[in-house]
Amino acid sequence: GTASVTISSPSSALTFQSASKNGGTYTFTWSGGPGPFTVYTVSGNTQLCSAPGASDTSCTFNGSLPNKTDVYVQDSTGAKSSGTT
């Protein structure tokens, strides 16, 4: 069967927007989805950063990642959306 979920406020589907690098800091942005949110690497599922707010749209990671690292953001419903650094 199918499960239905009722959300009190209109929410759009989680969509990974961008990953930008400034020096040693990566900023990951997304839209939609109910938070909190967490960003992981696709390979190894390493947590990079998290955003505690229900309507947060970005978080930052200080460190280095290989070029073209695939990452994904996951919202509080378990939905995922992926992108590449």
Side-chain angles (χ1 to χ4, degrees):
T2 57
S4 63
V5 177
T6 303
I7 300 172
S8 56
S9 59
S11 177
S12 54
L14 180 67
T15 304
F16 188 93
Q17 297 285 0
S18 67
S20 58
K21 183 182 181 183
N22 184 359
T25 302
Y26 291 84
T27 301
F28 304 101
T29 61
W30 59 83
S31 64
F37 305 90
T38 310
V39 175
Y40 300 90
T41 60
V42 171
S43 174
N45 288 317
T46 302
Q47 181 176 329
L48 297 178
C49 62
S50 59
S55 58
D56 286 352
T57 57
S58 69
C59 66
T60 56
F61 166 71
N62 294 306
S64 60
L65 294 170
N67 197 26
K68 299 295 184 186
T69 298
D70 291 322
V71 298
Y72 67 89
V73 58
Q74 184 170 342
D75 68 17
S76 62
T77 70
K80 301 176 183 178
S81 182
S82 59
T84 303
T85 62

